[in-house]
């Protein structure tokens, strides 16, 4: 038997199994990313090492740092619960894009040069969540019933 006519190495039902797993994997992705982002936003309030690694918080009401932290925490809680996921993810994507272009990009061209990798990654991750939706176990599903 030639290589061209060899039988496929995957079972024919594999795509169906992957399709059934997609909502669960997406939900797990949503939960993990939103928890990490919740911790990121909470740093602005002095938690998890604060903004300087020594527990420093952004002073109340200071633009844009305090407001960014508030939006990040609220948005992360919405995405975590799967409530208004797409809208919250769009806002969070925009917040991180704003952070990248106003804080990081002036320091260098590439994210590796300007310490902007987390901002760039979160921006794209939340954009992907806005497009794909929350997956399984989301409060959005209960809200629509």
């Amino acid at each position: 038997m030639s290589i061209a006519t060899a039988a496929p190495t995957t079972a024919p039902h594999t795509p169906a199994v992957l399709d059934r797993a997609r909502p669960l994997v997406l939900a797990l992705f949503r939960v993990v990313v939103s928890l990490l982002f919740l911790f990121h936003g909470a740093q602005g309030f002095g938690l998890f090492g604060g903004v300087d690694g020594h527990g420093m918080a952004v002073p109340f009401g200071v633009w844009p740092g305090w407001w960014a932290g508030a939006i990040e925490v609220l948005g992360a809680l919405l995405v975590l619960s799967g409530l208004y996921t797409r809208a919250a993810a769009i806002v969070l994507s925009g917040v991180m894009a704003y952070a990248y272009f106003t804080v990081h990009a002036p320091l260098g061209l590439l994210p590796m040069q300007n310490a902007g990798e987390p901002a760039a990654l979160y921006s794209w991750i939340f954009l992907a969540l806005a497009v794909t939706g929350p997956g399984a176990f989301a409060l959005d599903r209960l809200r629509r019933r």
Side-chain angles (χ1 to χ4, degrees):
M1 180 189 305
S2 74
I3 292 176
T5 59
T9 57
T10 59
H13 66 279
T14 301
V17 170
L18 294 176
D19 284 342
R20 286 195 308 270
R22 183 176 290 128
L24 178 61
V25 171
L26 187 55
L28 290 171
F29 177 75
R30 170 180 53 86
V31 167
V32 169
V33 166
S34 61
L35 278 174
L36 291 171
F37 197 68
L38 178 63
F39 300 150
H40 171 81
Q43 284 182 305
F45 300 107
L47 302 171
F48 307 108
V51 292
D52 63 351
H54 298 288
M56 176 83 164
V58 177
F60 178 80
V62 170
W63 177 262
W66 189 90
W67 293 98
I71 292 167
E72 290 166 1
V73 167
L74 177 61
L77 290 171
L78 287 171
V79 172
L80 176 65
S81 66
L83 185 62
Y84 301 105
T85 306
R86 291 177 190 259
I90 282 287
V91 170
L92 294 178
S93 177
V95 165
M96 295 316 301
Y98 176 85
Y100 183 81
F101 288 111
T102 62
V103 175
H104 300 284
L107 302 175
L109 177 64
L110 300 174
M112 287 62 77
Q113 296 170 322
N114 63 28
E117 283 180 277
L121 284 170
Y122 275 127
S123 183
W124 284 103
I125 287 168
F126 284 118
L127 182 61
L129 277 172
V131 170
T132 60
F137 311 115
L139 291 180
D140 280 340
R141 295 185 188 281
L142 297 174
R143 186 175 56 85
R144 290 188 196 130
R145 288 182 182 181

